[in-house]
Amino acid sequence: MPKTSARLLALLSLLQARRDWPGMLLADRLDISLRTVRRDVDRLRELGYPIEAVKGPDGGYRLSAGTELPPLLFDDEQAVALTLALQVAATTASNNLAEAAGRALSTIRQVMPARLRNRIAAVEVSAVEPPASQPDSHLDSRTLLAISAAVRAHEVLRFDYGTAGTVRQAEPHHVITWKGRWYLVAWDLERKDWRTFRVDRISLRTPNGPRFAPREVPGGDVARHVLSTFRGSGDSSGNWPCQGTVILDRPTADIAPYMADGIVQEAGPDRCRLTLGAWSWPALAAAIARYDAEIEVVGPAELAEAFTELADRCARAGSSLRQ
């Protein structure tokens, strides 16, 4: 590689590593003169890299955002992390995003040094998810970007939602992901309440509405607010609307590996204390019964009543074929 080209790549790598670089510090790091730094910066600008001059006692340079994406340089760890992230996206994203991730992955692999390609080849990513959590197949990335831009600009969105045929107006606040799908958290201007919209069901209308002063989500924490929305708790706690505690005649080691959303504690030899939540009391009783163990209800009374109701329901189901 010609010395000038190698020096330009080294300069570009330094400019990507931090926001501002004093000219003399760049010259020292590259072991060149300040005049050569200026000349190399001009060459990078000709190649499309938006490098700004920074005013100050020592002067300096900054790599800023431009109108096009120029070639980028990554160190080894960045390249590995980016490749793994693209592998996950290529197997879990919606159709068009997965295709774009796959093309980006092929591009990076093609120019990746052999030492890194061998490291990546040892990692094969296969996404295994429940059918209910499969990502949207018709997510339009342009819609996602447009919504995200409106969130940043604090502009009211106008859109058709699903097949209702009515135009919705909402103040967009956050774009989130939940089990493979994208959602918009927004203040619905007509209903005067918070709503969570699936992005793949949104058909945007243009232009956007006026700018607005952002509201605070209930509780001040968007993660808790969204969690409470999907769990149906109706408040900002993020907890399930129905929560109870039982003692199971099973060791903690038998229960803990299958407990994704609860608390398991030791309760004596071969017994454990389980605290769990669900959207209704019968649903909670059924979730606990699946552990195939003797159950002692600690509380509340609604959970004990739900077990009685569930037992009656199961008895009726069991006798239905004999009638």
Side-chain angles (χ1 to χ4, degrees):
M1 179 183 292
K3 185 176 181 181
T4 300
S5 298
R7 194 175 64 241
L8 288 177
L9 290 175
L11 174 58
L12 179 59
S13 180
L14 290 174
L15 289 171
Q16 289 180 169
R18 56 185 279 183
R19 179 170 174 79
D20 296 327
W21 278 93
M24 285 305 302
L25 183 55
L26 284 173
D28 291 342
R29 292 289 293 270
L30 297 171
D31 195 21
I32 56 177
S33 67
L34 186 58
R35 180 180 178 183
T36 302
V37 170
R38 296 194 193 100
R39 190 164 56 243
D40 286 350
V41 166
D42 288 338
R43 289 193 179 102
L44 287 176
R45 286 169 174 162
E46 291 173 359
L47 293 173
Y49 294 95
I51 302 174
E52 299 177 356
V54 179
K55 296 181 180 180
D58 300 326
Y61 300 95
R62 173 190 303 153
L63 183 62
S64 60
T67 57
E68 296 181 354
L69 183 66
L72 303 175
L73 292 177
F74 299 101
D75 61 31
D76 286 6
E77 295 306 316
Q78 288 175 326
V80 170
L82 180 59
T83 305
L84 292 177
L86 287 172
Q87 284 193 48
V88 173
T91 56
T92 61
S94 59
N95 287 351
N96 57 340
L97 294 181
E99 181 184 352
R103 287 190 284 108
L105 185 58
S106 297
T107 301
I108 291 178
R109 279 176 170 164
Q110 186 174 353
V111 298
M112 185 175 287
R115 66 179 186 280
L116 295 182
R117 211 163 31 238
N118 293 335
R119 289 174 62 184
I120 294 299
V123 182
E124 291 294 335
V125 177
S126 298
V128 179
E129 299 184 15
S133 65
Q134 291 299 309
D136 305 311
S137 57
H138 303 291
L139 176 64
D140 186 346
S141 59
R142 292 170 298 181
T143 299
L144 184 61
L145 293 175
I147 291 174
S148 299
V151 170
R152 289 194 303 273
H154 307 310
E155 293 178 347
V156 171
L157 280 176
R158 301 167 59 250
F159 57 90
D160 298 306
Y161 190 64
T163 58
T166 58
V167 180
R168 308 289 287 270
Q169 294 192 75
E171 298 175 355
H173 284 260
H174 294 82
V175 175
I176 62 148
T177 59
W178 173 269
K179 295 185 177 180
R181 288 194 171 96
W182 292 88
Y183 294 88
L184 167 67
V185 179
W187 175 263
D188 192 308
L189 291 173
E190 181 180 346
R191 291 159 178 79
K192 293 181 170 40
D193 197 4
W194 291 94
R195 290 291 187 270
T196 302
F197 303 97
R198 273 179 53 172
V199 172
D200 64 306
R201 294 178 178 174
I202 290 177
S203 298
L204 292 176
R205 293 196 174 213
T206 56
N208 290 342
R211 292 174 61 88
F212 62 89
R215 306 169 190 265
E216 186 177 47
V217 296
D221 187 329
V222 67
R224 284 185 177 274
H225 169 70
V226 170
L227 197 58
S228 65
T229 298
F230 285 113
R231 288 179 170 178
S233 60
D235 57 34
S236 59
S237 67
N239 295 324
W240 289 103
C242 301
Q243 296 185 85
T245 301
V246 298
I247 302 295
L248 297 180
D249 279 345
R250 286 270 188 172
T252 301
D254 288 355
I255 303 298
Y258 307 100
M259 183 51 55
D261 191 23
I263 300 173
V264 187
Q265 301 169 297
E266 293 281 356
D270 297 329
R271 304 183 82 205
C272 67
R273 181 186 182 95
L274 171 64
T275 300
L276 195 62
W279 62 274
S280 73
W281 292 112
L284 178 57
I288 295 171
R290 70 191 178 99
Y291 290 106
D292 190 22
E294 292 297 318
I295 303 167
E296 176 188 337
V297 177
V298 176
E302 290 86 347
L303 179 56
E305 294 170 1
F307 273 111
T308 301
E309 179 183 343
L310 183 64
D312 293 341
R313 190 177 299 171
C314 291
R316 290 193 297 272
S319 63
S320 60
L321 287 179
R322 297 192 294 269
Q323 294 178 358

